[in-house]
Amino acid sequence: MINVLVLSQHSPFDDLHIRDALDMTLIFAAVEQNISWLFSGPAVLALKKQQQPEQIGLKNYFKTIKTLEIYDVENIYVCEKSLLEYGLDKHNLVVEVKALNYQQQSQLIAQQQQIVNL
Protein backbone atom coordinates (compact mmCIF):
# COMPACT_ATOMS: atom_id res chain seq x y z
CA MET A 1 0.00 0.00 0.00
CA ILE A 2 1.40 3.39 -0.95
CA ASN A 3 0.67 6.84 0.46
CA VAL A 4 -1.22 8.99 -2.03
CA LEU A 5 -2.14 12.63 -1.50
CA VAL A 6 -4.79 14.41 -3.54
CA LEU A 7 -4.12 18.15 -3.35
CA SER A 8 -6.98 20.54 -4.15
CA GLN A 9 -6.28 24.25 -4.52
CA HIS A 10 -9.03 25.45 -6.87
CA SER A 11 -12.44 26.92 -6.16
CA PRO A 12 -15.22 24.35 -6.17
CA PHE A 13 -17.11 26.65 -8.53
CA ASP A 14 -14.27 26.89 -11.07
CA ASP A 15 -14.45 24.10 -13.62
CA LEU A 16 -14.59 20.56 -12.22
CA HIS A 17 -11.33 20.40 -10.23
CA ILE A 18 -12.97 19.37 -6.95
CA ARG A 19 -15.21 16.84 -8.68
CA ASP A 20 -12.16 15.31 -10.39
CA ALA A 21 -10.30 15.24 -7.07
CA LEU A 22 -13.28 13.52 -5.43
CA ASP A 23 -13.38 10.89 -8.19
CA MET A 24 -9.62 10.35 -7.90
CA THR A 25 -9.84 9.99 -4.13
CA LEU A 26 -12.58 7.38 -4.44
CA ILE A 27 -10.62 5.46 -7.08
CA PHE A 28 -7.52 5.29 -4.88
CA ALA A 29 -9.65 4.26 -1.90
CA ALA A 30 -11.24 1.48 -3.97
CA VAL A 31 -7.83 -0.01 -4.76
CA GLU A 32 -6.93 0.15 -1.08
CA GLN A 33 -4.25 2.82 -1.13
CA ASN A 34 -3.51 4.98 1.91
CA ILE A 35 -5.28 8.06 0.57
CA SER A 36 -5.20 11.58 1.99
CA TRP A 37 -6.90 14.70 0.65
CA LEU A 38 -5.61 18.21 1.37
CA PHE A 39 -7.79 21.25 0.68
CA SER A 40 -5.98 24.56 0.34
CA GLY A 41 -6.93 28.06 -0.83
CA PRO A 42 -10.44 28.42 -2.23
CA ALA A 43 -10.82 24.61 -2.35
CA VAL A 44 -11.79 24.72 1.35
CA LEU A 45 -15.13 26.19 0.23
CA ALA A 46 -16.07 22.75 -1.12
CA LEU A 47 -16.33 21.56 2.47
CA LYS A 48 -18.66 24.29 3.70
CA LYS A 49 -21.98 23.08 5.09
CA GLN A 50 -25.28 23.94 3.38
CA GLN A 51 -23.96 24.45 -0.14
CA GLN A 52 -26.63 25.08 -2.76
CA PRO A 53 -24.80 24.92 -6.09
CA GLU A 54 -28.04 24.23 -7.95
CA GLN A 55 -28.86 27.92 -7.54
CA ILE A 56 -25.98 28.79 -9.86
CA GLY A 57 -26.64 25.91 -12.26
CA LEU A 58 -24.16 23.37 -10.91
CA LYS A 59 -24.81 19.77 -9.97
CA ASN A 60 -24.57 19.18 -6.21
CA TYR A 61 -21.65 16.78 -5.89
CA PHE A 62 -20.65 18.36 -2.57
CA LYS A 63 -22.94 15.98 -0.71
CA THR A 64 -20.84 13.09 -2.04
CA ILE A 65 -17.90 14.39 -0.01
CA LYS A 66 -19.82 13.34 3.10
CA THR A 67 -19.64 9.70 1.95
CA LEU A 68 -15.83 9.52 2.05
CA GLU A 69 -16.00 7.91 5.47
CA ILE A 70 -17.83 4.92 3.97
CA TYR A 71 -14.86 4.38 1.64
CA ASP A 72 -12.36 4.54 4.51
CA VAL A 73 -11.06 7.94 3.47
CA GLU A 74 -10.32 9.32 6.90
CA ASN A 75 -7.28 11.51 6.21
CA ILE A 76 -8.91 14.75 5.15
CA TYR A 77 -6.84 17.86 5.79
CA VAL A 78 -7.37 21.58 5.34
CA CYS A 79 -4.97 24.47 5.29
CA GLU A 80 -5.42 26.31 8.57
CA LYS A 81 -4.68 29.69 6.94
CA SER A 82 -7.23 29.06 4.17
CA LEU A 83 -9.96 28.36 6.73
CA LEU A 84 -9.25 31.72 8.34
CA GLU A 85 -9.11 33.55 5.00
CA TYR A 86 -12.58 32.26 4.07
CA GLY A 87 -14.12 32.78 7.51
CA LEU A 88 -14.55 29.06 8.18
CA ASP A 89 -13.72 26.78 11.05
CA LYS A 90 -13.69 23.01 11.44
CA HIS A 91 -17.18 23.05 12.96
CA ASN A 92 -18.98 24.38 9.89
CA LEU A 93 -17.61 21.82 7.43
CA VAL A 94 -19.44 18.77 6.06
CA VAL A 95 -16.76 16.29 7.15
CA GLU A 96 -14.33 15.97 10.01
CA VAL A 97 -10.96 17.42 9.03
CA LYS A 98 -7.54 18.05 10.49
CA ALA A 99 -6.37 21.65 10.09
CA LEU A 100 -2.67 21.92 9.26
CA ASN A 101 -0.29 24.85 9.35
CA TYR A 102 2.30 25.31 6.62
CA GLN A 103 4.96 23.20 8.34
CA GLN A 104 2.52 20.34 8.95
CA GLN A 105 1.42 20.48 5.30
CA SER A 106 5.05 20.22 4.20
CA GLN A 107 5.53 17.19 6.45
CA LEU A 108 2.38 15.56 5.07
CA ILE A 109 3.56 16.10 1.49
CA ALA A 110 7.01 14.68 2.30
CA GLN A 111 5.41 11.44 3.57
CA GLN A 112 3.68 10.68 0.26
CA GLN A 113 4.83 8.39 -2.55
CA GLN A 114 2.38 9.93 -5.03
CA ILE A 115 0.81 13.39 -5.18
CA VAL A 116 -2.09 14.23 -7.46
CA ASN A 117 -2.57 17.97 -7.85
CA LEU A 118 -6.08 18.82 -9.06
Side-chain angles (χ1 to χ4, degrees), residues 38-115:
L38 173 60
F39 292 80
S40 181
V44 298
L45 295 172
L47 300 174
K48 186 178 177 190
K49 285 183 181 176
Q50 301 173 345
Q51 299 271 6
Q52 296 179 333
E54 304 91 356
Q55 292 183 349
I56 59 171
L58 295 176
K59 184 177 178 183
N60 189 357
Y61 60 86
F62 301 108
K63 59 186 173 189
T64 308
I65 293 173
K66 291 188 256 184
T67 67
L68 290 173
E69 217 174 75
I70 297 168
Y71 297 95
D72 293 327
V73 178
E74 299 169 352
N75 300 320
I76 303 173
Y77 302 95
V78 294
C79 171
E80 189 175 67
K81 183 180 175 192
S82 297
L83 284 180
L84 293 172
E85 287 176 354
Y86 289 94
L88 299 171
D89 65 42
K90 294 185 339 179
H91 304 291
N92 58 1
L93 302 179
V94 295
V95 291
E96 189 174 320
V97 300
K98 298 170 193 129
L100 304 179
N101 62 33
Y102 181 76
Q103 182 180 7
Q104 292 167 320
Q105 290 175 59
S106 295
Q107 291 171 347
L108 175 67
I109 290 168
Q111 296 169 355
Q112 307 305 309
Q113 279 91 23
Q114 298 290 321
I115 299 172

Side-chain angles (χ1 to χ4, degrees), residues 10-28:
H10 297 279
S11 167
F13 308 108
D14 179 24
D15 209 9
L16 294 175
H17 295 286
I18 298 293
R19 177 60 198 222
D20 290 344
L22 174 61
D23 290 344
M24 187 68 63
T25 300
L26 293 173
I27 289 167
F28 281 119

